[in-house]
């Protein structure tokens, strides 16, 4: 997709205007898009559900070519990615725990492409390819979709094969050596067989200069391919075969020095003293200079693809749909886990390979005053990971107490290597259904239910070898071995989990007027339990705590009410939603501050609550002007989490025991609490306020012998500050920021579009997220957001 473009009459996420050829200037209306959120075709305004919809033309028009860009249009969608694997996609603050990703639990936001569930969040980092529309469903989705999701779903529908020939092509050029090309072609192969093929390629130079490698890093290097065949022997039967492949191979994603903060570690073991002892200084203490000196190899090789067969058969007065799919994910990373030009962690990589298989059967039928959807879903995946983490020549001085003479011997830790082998098997089965009953012309009741079974089993083994290739064992003795075991500890674990869950929901909607729909929903939902797949916390003897192997399912009570309205002869659309979700046994990330021991694992927090208000609105008084405003207020907090990991300012000292009283935050050498009570504090990654605002105006005209219209457009987004650490820290609040995007060009009704665009026009300095450096030294690293980018795009349809 392009960095910036336009669509005729681009309007709110909740709805989108019909295209205009410049006629009927006074009679324009905001047309409600047709969606399939409830597995049947309906207009957005008739669905008693909080859903944001973005058409494919609007994705092109606003430069929203991936989920990260999509969040600028849908304020309650949050997207964070330190690399494709460590990606979080949340809605209303819920989805996956913020921080390092584990394969042993489920995501709370389901990602579907043409009805196929994508089980790993890494698949969300690719460019959208030949998309017709995207529906962002907010709130629990379990009685209609294949995989139960507690926070919502992103339902992506691609453009389908056609029996009429059509084609389009697009080329974009911009600064930072930006190049993007897209093309799609569709048409008949016979009177019963049609095909469609699409390709997209994106390249952009990195935004951060690495003085060590003398290269720009954190680049974009994406390729996407999709092919489809549609066999339609009759009006009652359609078979669609699809295959896709996407690849990324950038040198990235580095997180760079942002700041330091005082911890409770001994002063001579904090960042300033350690770097001074090693004679080291970062090339810049201002992250927005966009300079780093990371010295480890960087790579983010990411490949995703698969094949599917979808059969839709009109039978027994309804439609029977079968969706059979196989998908793969290959991840080949290389990271710099110390974030510096020092060789502390010399190598860090955890390549993974996943295969998933899914089968969904669904029957839809409508009659009289009833609509019915019933279905069954089966899913299986296996993930294999081979991890390597290795200490460098500066590791001894960085990790061993300076009072210990071994800290001056680089050979103690140099070459110390942890070799991790793990696999995960996950299987689930479900039956689900939803009935919509039109009690009167105005009142509709919609109950739904789901029965779900989940089973997970895993294996994790960490072997440790020293720099001479000799195995390091828990039974080894001596000061040298003790120093090595403090960094990497051998471990074997085989956690497992299985459980049944029954959930249900009930919605009531009432048509107050032709253009006013009120609705209310209650949902009893769950997110299945999981396992700690990346190793377990250990006891005093260094043995894994087996009880921590499995985590409990989340238990959710969700309440929602809303209004869907249109005014002023349907030139104004305004949809309002109010929600509250109470979650027991919230699955939270627990971080370990010790370098290389166990970076993070999952545990259950007592209770979490998220509540708020959302507005989606659009106004199109005539065919020459349109505007939209989408806004959300979200209050997401830990209600009860008394044994949470402590933030860095309360970590690093000797852990208090018994009646010992921990000292104040940031006091060097002080006693540190074993854990912290973060009850009442905000969930990570959630801004209280988020807004998307845009407008477009056009005038008719002629250009290069063509008749069409000139246009200008603006798309802006605002996010208030948010916490970037699972336990809020004074060092990891990300300040609020505003992004302003502009576009201007000329387009014709035949599909020719030439325009210039600029994103982040005012060159706002902002962070996408911040991270706490290892070992409680006080180092804070982060990812600066993109600087101002600009370019030009030419698009043509045939």
């Amino acid at each position: 997709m392009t960095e910036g473009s336009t669509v005729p009459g681009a309007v709110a996420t909740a709805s989108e205007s019909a295209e205009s050829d410049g006629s009927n200037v006074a009679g324009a209306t905001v047309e409600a898009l047709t969606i399939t959120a409830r597995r049947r075709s309906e207009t957005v305004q008739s669905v008693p559900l909080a859903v944001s919809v973005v058409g494919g033309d609007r994705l092109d028009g606003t430069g929203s070519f991936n989920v990260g860009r999509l969040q600028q249009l849908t304020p309650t969608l949050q997207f964070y990615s330190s690399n494709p694997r460590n990606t979080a996609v949340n809605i209303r603050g819920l989805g996956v725990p913020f921080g390092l990703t584990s394969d042993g639990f489920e995501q709370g936001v389901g990602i579907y492409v043409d009805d196929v569930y994508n089980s790993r969040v890494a698949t969300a980092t690719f460019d959208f390819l030949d998309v017709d529309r995207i529906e962002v469903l907010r709130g629990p989705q379990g009685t209609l979709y294949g995989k139960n999701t507690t926070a919502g779903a992103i339902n992506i529908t691609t453009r389908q094969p056609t029996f009429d020939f059509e084609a389009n092509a697009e080329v974009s050029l911009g600064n930072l050596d930006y190049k993007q090309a897209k093309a799609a072609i569709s048409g008949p192969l016979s009177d019963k067989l049609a095909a469609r093929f699409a390709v997209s390629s994106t390249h952009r130079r990195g935004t951060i200069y690495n003085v060590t490698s003398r290269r720009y890093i954190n680049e974009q290097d994406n390729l996407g391919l999709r092919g489809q065949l549609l066999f339609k022997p009759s009006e009652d039967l359609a078979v669609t075969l699809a295959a896709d492949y996407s690849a990324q191979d950038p040198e990235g994603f580095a997180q760079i020095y942002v700041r330091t903060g005082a911890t409770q570690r001994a002063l001579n073991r904090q960042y300033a003293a350690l770097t001074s002892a090693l004679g080291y200084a970062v090339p810049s203490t201002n992250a927005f200079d966009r300079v780093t000196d990371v010295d480890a190899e960087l790579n983010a090789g990411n490949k995703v693809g698969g094949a599917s067969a979808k059969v839709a058969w009109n039978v027994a007065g309804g439609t029977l749909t079968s969706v059979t799919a196989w998908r793969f994910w290959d991840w080949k990373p290389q990271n710099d886990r110390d974030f510096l030009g020092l060789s502390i962690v010399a190598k860090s990589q955890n390549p993974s390979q996943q295969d998933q298989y899914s089968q969904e059967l669904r029957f839809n039928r409508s009659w009289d005053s009833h609509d019915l959807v019933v279905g069954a879903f089966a899913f299986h995946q296996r993930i294999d990971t081979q991890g390597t983490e290795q200490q460098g020549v500066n590791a001894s001085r960085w990790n061993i107490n300076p009072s210990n003479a071994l800290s001056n011997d680089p050979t103690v830790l140099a070459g110390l290597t942890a070799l991790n082998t793990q696999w995960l098997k996950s299987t689930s089965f479900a039956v689900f259904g939803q009935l919509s009953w039109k009690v009167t012309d105005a009142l509709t009741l919609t109950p739904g239910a789901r029965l779900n079974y989940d089973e997970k089993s895993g294996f994790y083994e960490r072997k440790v070898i020293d720099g001479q290739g000799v195995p390091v064992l828990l039974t080894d003795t001596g000061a040298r071995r003790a120093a090595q075991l403090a960094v990497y500890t051998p471990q074997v674990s085989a956690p497992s989990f299985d459980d049944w869950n029954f959930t249900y929901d009930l919605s009531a909607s009432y048509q107050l007027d032709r253009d006013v729909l009120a609705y209310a929903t209650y949902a009893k939902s769950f997110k299945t339990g999981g396992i700690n797949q990346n190793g377990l916390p250990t006891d005093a003897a260094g043995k894994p705590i087996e009880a921590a192997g499995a985590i409990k399912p989340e238990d959710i009570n969700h309440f929602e009410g809303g209004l869907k309205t249109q005014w002023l002869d349907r030139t104004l659309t305004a949809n309002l939603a109010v929600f509250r979700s109470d979650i027991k046994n919230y699955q939270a990330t627990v971080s370990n501050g010790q370098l290389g021991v166990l970076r993070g694992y999952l545990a259950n927090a007592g209770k979490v609550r998220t509540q708020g208000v959302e507005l989606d609105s659009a106004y199109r008084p005539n065919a020459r002007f349109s505007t939209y405003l989408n806004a959300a207020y979200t209050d997401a907090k830990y209600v009860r989490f008394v044994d949470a990991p402590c933030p860095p300012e309360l970590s690093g000292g000797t852990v208090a025991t018994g009646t010992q009283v921990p000292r104040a935050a940031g006091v060097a050498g002080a006693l540190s609490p074993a854990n912290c009570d973060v009850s009442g504090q905000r969930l990570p990654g959630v801004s209280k306020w988020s807004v998307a605002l845009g407008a477009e105006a056009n005038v008719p005209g002629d250009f290069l012998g063509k008749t069409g219209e000139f246009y200008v457009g603006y798309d802006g987004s605002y996010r208030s500050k948010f916490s970037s650490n699972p336990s809020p820290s004074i060092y990891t609040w990300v300040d609020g920021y505003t992004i302003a995007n502009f576009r201007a060009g000329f387009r014709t009704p035949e599909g020719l579009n030439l325009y210039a665009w600029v994103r982040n026009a005012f060159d706002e300095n902002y962070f996408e997220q911040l991270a706490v450096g290892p070992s409680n030294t006080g180092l804070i690293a982060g990812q600066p957001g993109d600087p101002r980018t600009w370019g030009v795009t030419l698009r043509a349809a045939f």
Side-chain angles (χ1 to χ4, degrees), residues 155-166:
N155 189 19
I156 301 172
T157 301
T158 67
R159 296 183 175 104
Q160 298 298 296
T162 59
F163 283 95
D164 294 319
F165 175 81
E166 64 178 46

Side-chain angles (χ1 to χ4, degrees), residues 204-224:
R204 192 186 74 182
R205 195 201 74 190
T207 57
I208 296 173
Y209 185 71
N210 186 350
V211 299
T212 299
S213 65
R214 297 183 181 180
R215 286 176 53 91
Y216 284 95
I217 59 175
N218 293 11
E219 60 197 2
Q220 292 180 6
D221 188 6
N222 305 340
L223 173 67

Side-chain angles (χ1 to χ4, degrees), residues 490-763:
Q491 183 180 132
V492 176
S493 61
S496 62
F497 172 88
D498 65 275
D499 195 23
W500 288 89
N501 289 94
F502 176 73
T503 58
Y504 52 90
D505 54 42
L506 175 64
S507 294
S509 62
Y510 194 85
Q511 198 77 44
L512 297 171
D513 183 76
R514 184 191 72 154
D515 293 326
V516 180
L517 176 73
Y519 69 91
T521 298
Y522 168 73
K524 180 71 171 179
S525 188
F526 82 103
K527 184 164 77 172
T528 187
I531 59 176
N532 272 306
Q533 183 60 23
N534 297 337
L536 301 180
T538 57
D539 58 21
K543 296 182 179 180
I545 302 172
E546 294 184 3
I551 54 173
K552 298 176 183 178
E554 291 183 353
D555 183 274
I556 297 100
N557 284 291
H558 176 76
F559 306 86
E560 185 164 330
L563 286 172
K564 296 200 166 184
T565 69
Q566 289 190 298
W567 309 86
L568 304 177
D569 293 329
R570 296 188 174 180
T571 61
L572 171 64
T573 294
N575 296 337
L576 186 71
V578 180
F579 66 90
R580 172 169 173 157
S581 294
D582 293 297
I583 305 99
K584 294 181 181 178
N585 295 319
Y586 175 77
Q587 295 171 0
T589 297
V590 175
S591 300
N592 187 310
Q594 295 304 308
L595 178 68
V597 180
L598 184 63
R599 288 184 282 171
Y601 60 97
L602 296 171
N604 292 105
K607 187 177 181 181
V608 157
R609 183 193 70 215
T610 178
Q611 58 187 0
V613 182
E614 301 164 341
L615 171 69
D616 290 344
S617 66
Y619 181 50
R620 183 177 170 85
N622 54 59
R624 297 292 170 224
F625 178 77
S626 62
T627 184
Y628 66 88
L629 171 65
N630 303 329
Y633 170 79
T634 308
D635 176 24
K637 64 176 60 177
Y638 299 107
V639 175
R640 186 175 66 255
F641 195 5
V642 298
D643 55 354
C646 291
E649 61 266 29
L650 286 169
S651 302
T654 302
V655 175
T657 59
T659 60
Q660 292 179 318
V661 178
R663 295 287 301 279
V667 176
L671 289 172
S672 297
N675 45 56
C676 288
D677 184 353
V678 297
S679 302
Q681 298 193 50
R682 199 186 306 181
L683 287 181
V686 186
S687 298
K688 280 196 172 183
W689 293 98
S690 52
V691 178
L693 172 67
E696 183 182 290
N698 64 77
V699 296
D702 296 325
F703 182 64
L704 297 178
K706 300 287 186 179
T707 298
E709 59 189 21
F710 295 93
Y711 63 88
V712 293
Y714 164 80
D715 296 283
S717 63
Y718 166 75
R719 293 194 62 187
S720 63
K721 72 173 185 176
F722 62 91
S723 168
S724 192
N725 196 56
S727 294
S729 167
I730 58 176
Y731 306 133
T732 56
W733 283 97
V734 174
D735 292 335
Y737 57 88
T738 300
I739 303 297
N741 307 319
F742 295 92
R743 60 190 186 276
F746 175 80
R747 61 184 171 229
T748 69
E750 295 78 23
L752 180 67
N753 199 349
L754 175 64
Y755 53 91
W757 44 263
V758 57
R759 297 189 59 84
N760 191 7
F762 303 117
D763 208 17

